[in-house]
Amino acid sequence: MTATGGTQLVDLLITDAAELLTCAGDAPDLIGRIPGGGVAVDGGTITAVGDVSGYRGRREIDARGKVVMPGFVDSHTHVVFGGDRACEYAAVAAGQAPPAGVSVGILGTMADTRSQTVEDLVEAAADRIREMIDSGTTTLESKTGYGLSIAAEARLLEVNARLEEQLPARIVSTYLGAHAIDPQRDPQDWTEDIVAQLPDVAAQGAAFNDVYCDAGYFTPDQSRRILEAGARHGLRPKIHLDAYSHTGAAALAVDVGAVSADHLNFTTDGELRALADAGVTGVYMPCLEFAVRHPAPLDPRRLYDAGMEVALATDVCPGCWTTSMHLAVAMGCRTGGMSIAQALRAATYGGACALGLAGTIGSLAPGMAADLQVLDVPSHEHLAYRIGRNSTETIIIDGAVVKGAGVD
Ligand SMILES: [Zn+2]
């Protein structure tokens, strides 16, 4: 509100953006483009968006020639892990079998992760998350899932909690004990161990309970058992669905009220419509499909045709080592056929929907958390056009400048 005869003083004022993108959920153009717009921020919250001529800031950022938009919301990551799989990647890229003794697949990373201390795991993940923040990500999800024993998974939840404490980004913790099955374990026994761990998982601060439902991983029945049990402890369901085969578990995702269904490569159009009707957000990860040279890449236009809200995520993990939502946006457009507006909405508002946080982050409006970025490009098209470039110049999280001139 403008004071009579003057201007209202706020903590931070961003003015004169070449393009301000609100990424509001109801924006007819998907991104809420306002040429010349600005943002007023006070006390960590957005006060005004668009016309900010009635404000002045204790700190001001001149955004002429630049784009201002919400911080990216990376809603699917496996950023906590030990070691790396560079040797496996190099061999596979060359069309060869990985040499004996190198870490391969989820189980290779399981061994590397178990061998590290909590401190080592925090340090390695923090390095990756700092890169994510540097390239515009202000909220990220972090899954466990490379421990695959009760004790090792509990340690990964502790890693998530420490990362959330130490780093400025918002970090949403997801329990993914049902990522894979230690070959020493019986799948049904491990399923029951997971169920038994869920009360502690909730107490350790996880928001979501996720399962990898696919051939060779968890069956729809096991997935249902785990997700329903988690819901009883306040853990909201997520599901890795149909990435490499058709499981029929889309109906399960609807039944349990999954917040998101991720991958969806083999999900049928009818199932996608049922997911859309149930308000399940579809998460698309083009960088992962690129990294693994997926045999059946998802056409995300099928999700839009079904009426789904779509989120773009990096899926950063040992098999897809990218921290860049800029790259996910570029690939979503060029390999997935998304419009640039669709991709930018999916990288912000869509990601917030996939984390159940669309009421507080992912778009710019009065009352929302002040998580935003200033990008040194003259229009939003450049964010897909300059492939994978980190165009993020200034990052603001909860109203605090964490990258750019005058870091708090
Ligand atoms: Zn995943």
Side-chain angles (χ1 to χ4, degrees):
M1 189 183 300
T2 306
T4 308
T7 54
Q8 185 176 334
L9 181 65
V10 292
D11 290 339
L12 175 66
L13 188 66
I14 303 174
T15 57
D16 297 320
E19 294 183 346
L20 174 85
L21 313 180
T22 68
C23 298
D26 60 358
D29 66 351
L30 303 179
I31 51 174
R33 178 177 171 274
I34 305 175
V39 184
V41 171
D42 203 50
T45 304
I46 293 172
T47 307
V49 172
D51 176 7
V52 292
S53 56
Y55 294 85
R56 61 198 164 86
R58 291 182 184 88
R59 171 183 297 177
E60 298 199 357
I61 296 174
D62 178 349
R64 273 178 292 187
K66 296 170 184 173
V67 170
V68 176
M69 64 181 287
F72 294 127
V73 180
D74 192 349
S75 59
H76 185 134
T77 93
H78 304 256
V79 72
V80 175
F81 58 86
D84 65 68
R85 301 217 301 269
C87 291
E88 178 193 17
Y89 196 88
V92 171
Q96 297 162 358
V102 307
S103 293
V104 173
I106 293 174
L107 298 176
T109 298
M110 176 192 79
D112 290 343
T113 302
R114 286 181 180 177
S115 72
Q116 292 205 353
T117 65
V118 166
E119 289 71 23
D120 290 341
L121 291 166
V122 167
E123 193 178 315
D127 282 348
R128 291 184 279 270
I129 293 171
R130 285 190 198 96
E131 272 185 24
M132 297 166 90
I133 296 169
D134 189 63
S135 56
T137 297
T138 52
T139 296
L140 60 122
E141 187 241 25
S142 174
K143 301 180 193 292
T144 71
Y146 291 112
L148 302 180
S149 71
I150 297 291
E153 286 293 309
R155 284 186 344 129
L156 298 183
L157 289 167
E158 187 185 341
V159 171
N160 276 348
R162 290 207 200 175
L163 291 166
E164 163 69 12
E165 262 173 38
Q166 292 178 14
L167 295 166
R170 297 174 201 278
I171 299 177
V172 178
S173 180
T174 293
Y175 174 70
L176 181 58
H179 193 193
I181 298 149
D182 180 338
Q184 311 298 319
R185 298 295 312 271
D186 171 75
Q188 202 55 38
D189 288 349
W190 176 231
T191 298
E192 292 309 315
D193 276 4
I194 289 169
V195 168
Q197 187 173 19
L198 291 169
D200 291 339
V201 168
Q204 280 191 269
F208 290 100
N209 182 28
D210 195 351
V211 297
Y212 199 118
C213 185
D214 215 328
Y217 292 84
F218 291 80
T219 66
D221 283 348
Q222 291 163 341
S223 300
R224 179 183 292 276
R225 168 96 175 109
I226 292 165
L227 293 179
E228 287 182 345
R232 288 194 286 275
H233 298 286
L235 296 164
R236 301 183 74 187
K238 279 180 167 286
I239 185 165
H240 286 66
L241 183 62
D242 297 340
Y244 295 99
S245 66
H246 179 250
T247 62
L252 159 66
V254 170
D255 284 351
V256 300
V259 177
S260 72
D262 304 35
H263 292 293
L264 303 170
N265 300 70
F266 287 88
T267 312
T268 67
D269 290 339
E271 289 172 327
L272 293 176
R273 284 193 294 274
L275 291 168
D277 290 346
V280 181
T281 298
V283 182
Y284 172 46
M285 294 163 283
C287 301
L288 178 277
E289 295 184 350
F290 169 78
V292 302
R293 198 185 284 176
H294 197 288
L298 176 67
D299 181 346
R301 291 169 296 190
R302 292 180 52 232
L303 310 191
Y304 290 111
D305 289 347
M308 294 186 86
E309 191 67 49
V310 178
L312 263 175
T314 59
D315 202 6
V316 56
C317 66
C320 171
W321 194 314
T322 180
T323 52
S324 172
M325 287 293 284
H326 290 282
L327 183 61
V329 165
M331 295 196 72
C333 292
R334 210 63 185 96
T335 69
M338 301 168 96
S339 72
I340 296 173
Q342 283 174 331
L344 293 173
R345 175 191 174 97
T348 53
Y349 177 78
C353 289
L355 296 177
L357 294 174
T360 48
I361 58 162
S363 57
L364 304 182
M368 300 286 283
D371 291 6
L372 51 135
Q373 55 180 326
V374 182
L375 303 121
D376 70 338
V377 287
S379 73
H380 68 280
E381 290 89 349
H382 285 260
L383 297 176
Y385 169 57
R386 303 192 194 184
I387 300 165
R389 173 179 187 254
N390 181 5
S391 299
T392 300
E393 184 179 82
T394 302
I395 307 273
I396 294 146
I397 301 178
D398 253 337
V401 177
V402 302
K403 175 187 178 180
V407 169
D408 285 323

